[in-house]
Every structure is written in structure tokens, then in C-alpha cells.
Amino acid sequence: MAATTPGLVCAHHHLYSALARGMPPPPKTPTSFQEILEQIWWRLDTALDLEMIRWSAMLGALEALESGTTGIVDHHESPEAIEGSLSVIAEACAEVGVRVLPAYGITDRHGPDGARRGLAENERFIKEGGRGLVGIHAAFTCSDESLQAAAGLAADLGVGVHIHVAEGEGDADAPRRLASLTRDDWLLSHCIHLPTDHTLRGTILHNPRSNLNNAVGYADPARFTNPVALGTDGIGANMIEAFRLAYVMQRSVDVTCGPDTAWEWLATGWDLMPEARDDEVTWSYEPMDPWHLAFTPGVRPLEVKVDGEVVFRDGAPTRVDAAEVRARAHEQAIRLHARL
Ligand SMILES: [Zn+2]
């Protein structure tokens, strides 16, 4: 039995995270979300170069296809390799046959020059014809000037902003600082510590596995009136799994809820990347229905078509050699881990 759906969309990814697996442990065990950022992710992103970014994106795109995901909304940061990074990601995804909507997440963590160069990379990529968004890491690592500059650039370019909001308690000030800036085309990732009566505009991106992994709490996105979409926050791009986790996390606080709400969140991805609706995934299972999928493990794509072209068939990508991608990504992971 088989059923088809459009290509799934991962609404919040960090493709560079694909090389994090197996990285050496931090010097001491992080005891808070802030320490997880400082001791793991901010050490990792600082060590990235363009070759590592290329193969992490190739691996991440391959794993997306293997999960029936044809659209990735990526949030990228590589403070020592900013210029050209969004093009490297876009080219890698195109080579595998996956759609990507990248953004460079600007931050003042490395001084105002870092934020300025990040902004310039967003502008360069989009003005050269790339499809992308303007990225901001988060309000708590940016000055008001940088937040305003990013919002202004996005408005000028006619694109949205992709930003982390209130993932940890240290960003609780975000709703106040962003209140006058957000628009409906902004993407607000996490929003765990966002008050229910906030005034921010945009789509809220819910990342159940990442939130569990970082012990940051449950966003309970059903409480918001904003649209909600599902992401992985860099832990692969298996959106059926993200849906299953989103459902069971919602259920953990509301035993009356069904999987339809989490399924709607998954479908919101098509509002962010409408072209993925033209893609076609043939699945190993029928029916592709929320009540079935919430309780059916191991559902996988048999064939994936992007824009009419078969890019995945019989368990393998058609444009690239999966073993080669994994081998090259592994080489880059060794280089990356040696720098940490
Ligand atoms: Zn994220």
C-alpha cells in the first residue's frame, strides 16, 4: 500500500548542525540553556569554514529527502565564514534536489562588525537572486540598532525575518524589544517564554525534539493566535517524527486533544514554502492521516519528486551518491571536531 502527499517542509533547521554528531563533550556539563549555547553551539559555529558548511548542507539535504522533506527553512550562523555562506548552502541543497530558504542569523556576540557582515551576507544573497529571508540570531544577542537594521533590510527587500524568540528565560525581554518591528512575514522560532497575550506578528515555529533536548520547557503553541509551523532546530528533517512529537507533547498537557492540531502545524509549512506543494512524496504507508501516523512508526518515502523530477527512489537519492555524501561529511566532521 502507498499514499502520496506534497513534499514536507521543515520550517526551522540549522543545516550546519549535521556535523555536530559525535563532537567532543564540552569541558564541563552545561547546567542551563545559556551554557548549552556557550559550550556547544557557539563553539561549533565559530569553528565552521565554507567546506564544512557545504558538506553539512549536503548531508542535511540528503537526510531531508530520506524523510520525504523537500523544503528546508534554514537558519545559518558561521561567524568565521560569513561571506558566501548562504550561496554554499543553496548550492548544496540544489545539488541534492531539495528546496531551501536560508537566512544568516546576525548577532552582536562578536561585536558590531560581525552583525554588519551578517546583514551584508543576507543582502548579497537576496539581491543576487537567491530566495532567502533576513536572519537574526535572537534579541538577547543583538543591540536595538542591529534589530532595527535587520527589520529595515527585510522590509526593503520584501522578505520576512527568521529569528529565535524566547527560547530560554534569558530572552524574556524579546517581546518588548521586537514589538514595534515584527510583521506577518516574520518567523518566530520557539516562543516558549512568550506570554500568551504578546503582540508579536508572524508564524511561530515549534521544535518539539529540540525543546525536550534543551530542557527549555513546552511552548504550548496551541495557546497562540499566530499561525504555527513545525521545525527540527537542526536535529534532522524528519517532519513525520516532528509531527508525532508535537502531538504527544500537546497531549501531555491536554488529554482531550487529537493529532489534528499538530497536523495543521505541519501543513503550515506549505504557507512558508508554497512550491513544496508541487512536489510529490510516495510513502510506504497508507493512509497518510494524522490519527494513523501519530501511532505508526517507521513510515518512510519510497519515491520523492521535486518539481516533476524524481530525486529519490528505492531508498536512494538520484542526483548524488549517498555513501559519498556521508563519507565527505564525515571527513569534514573530523576536521570540525579537531578545532573544538
Ligand atoms: Zn534554532
Side-chain angles (χ1 to χ4, degrees):
M1 289 201 298
T4 62
T5 68
L8 304 183
V9 173
C10 177
H12 183 69
H13 203 334
H14 299 279
L15 285 164
Y16 71 80
S17 296
L19 301 186
R21 303 160 204 174
M23 69 186 276
K28 66 183 182 78
T29 303
T31 58
S32 65
F33 176 60
Q34 179 71 22
E35 288 183 10
I36 289 174
L37 290 176
E38 289 169 0
Q39 296 185 39
I40 298 177
W41 298 110
W42 294 351
R43 286 170 65 228
L44 186 93
D45 69 18
T46 303
L48 290 167
D49 64 24
L50 290 179
E51 192 65 3
M52 297 168 185
I53 295 166
R54 167 170 160 71
W55 287 100
S56 66
M58 292 284 283
L59 178 60
L62 168 65
E63 292 179 341
L65 275 193
E66 291 173 338
S67 304
T69 297
T70 65
I72 294 170
V73 185
D74 192 58
H75 191 282
H76 178 68
E77 286 181 55
S78 51
E80 297 297 323
I82 297 175
E83 288 77 19
S85 58
L86 296 186
S87 295
V88 167
I89 292 167
E91 285 161 15
C93 289
E95 199 170 329
V96 177
V98 172
R99 305 175 190 276
V100 68
L101 195 58
Y104 190 91
I106 70 158
T107 179
D108 286 305
R109 273 198 328 269
H110 309 281
D113 187 56
R116 187 193 57 72
R117 287 167 56 213
L119 213 54
E121 174 61 7
N122 286 301
E123 182 173 13
R124 178 201 66 77
F125 178 72
I126 294 167
K127 281 195 170 165
E128 287 177 7
R131 275 211 61 208
L133 303 172
V134 171
I136 300 173
H137 169 252
F140 77 99
T141 68
C142 285
S143 65
D144 286 336
E145 293 70 32
S146 292
L147 295 177
Q148 285 160 12
L153 176 64
D156 290 347
L157 294 170
V159 301
V161 167
H162 189 176
I163 180 174
H164 296 100
V165 175
E167 180 174 6
E169 288 168 345
D171 197 30
D173 211 16
R176 182 186 64 77
R177 295 184 58 209
L178 298 173
S180 65
L181 299 176
T182 57
R183 303 187 317 183
D184 291 342
D185 57 3
W186 281 46
L187 305 183
L188 317 172
S189 194
H190 300 296
C191 298
I192 292 154
H193 300 281
L194 189 64
T196 303
D197 63 354
H198 73 94
T199 60
L200 301 186
R201 291 162 63 191
T203 299
I204 287 171
L205 311 178
H206 178 43
N207 304 277
R209 175 174 289 283
S210 166
N211 295 163
L212 287 165
N213 187 56
N214 287 326
V216 285
Y218 179 44
D220 194 7
R223 67 195 167 102
F224 297 119
T225 55
N226 306 60
V228 176
L230 294 182
T232 61
D233 203 20
I235 313 177
N238 187 328
M239 299 315 297
I240 298 293
E241 182 197 65
F243 150 76
R244 287 157 57 82
L245 281 168
Y247 160 62
V248 79
M249 279 180 85
Q250 187 189 11
R251 185 83 169 189
S252 75
V253 299
D254 176 9
V255 74
T256 69
C257 81
D260 312 87
T261 303
W263 194 252
E264 284 168 21
W265 297 341
L266 181 62
T268 303
W270 292 316
D271 296 333
L272 307 181
M273 293 189 81
E275 57 275 37
R277 282 199 185 97
D278 300 332
D279 304 336
E280 187 178 285
V281 183
T282 307
W283 296 91
S284 61
Y285 185 81
E286 185 181 19
M288 291 296 284
D289 150 286
W291 279 103
H292 277 254
L293 293 174
F295 302 100
T296 307
V299 176
R300 64 187 195 287
L302 301 175
E303 184 180 274
V304 180
K305 277 187 205 167
V306 171
D307 220 4
E309 178 189 342
V310 176
V311 292
F312 183 85
R313 178 187 282 145
D314 301 331
T318 61
R319 290 180 160 205
V320 292
D321 179 342
E324 163 86 6
V325 170
R326 289 200 158 86
R328 298 293 299 275
H330 181 62
E331 286 170 14
Q332 295 304 317
I334 291 170
R335 282 185 61 229
L336 174 60
H337 299 172
R339 290 185 178 190
L340 299 176

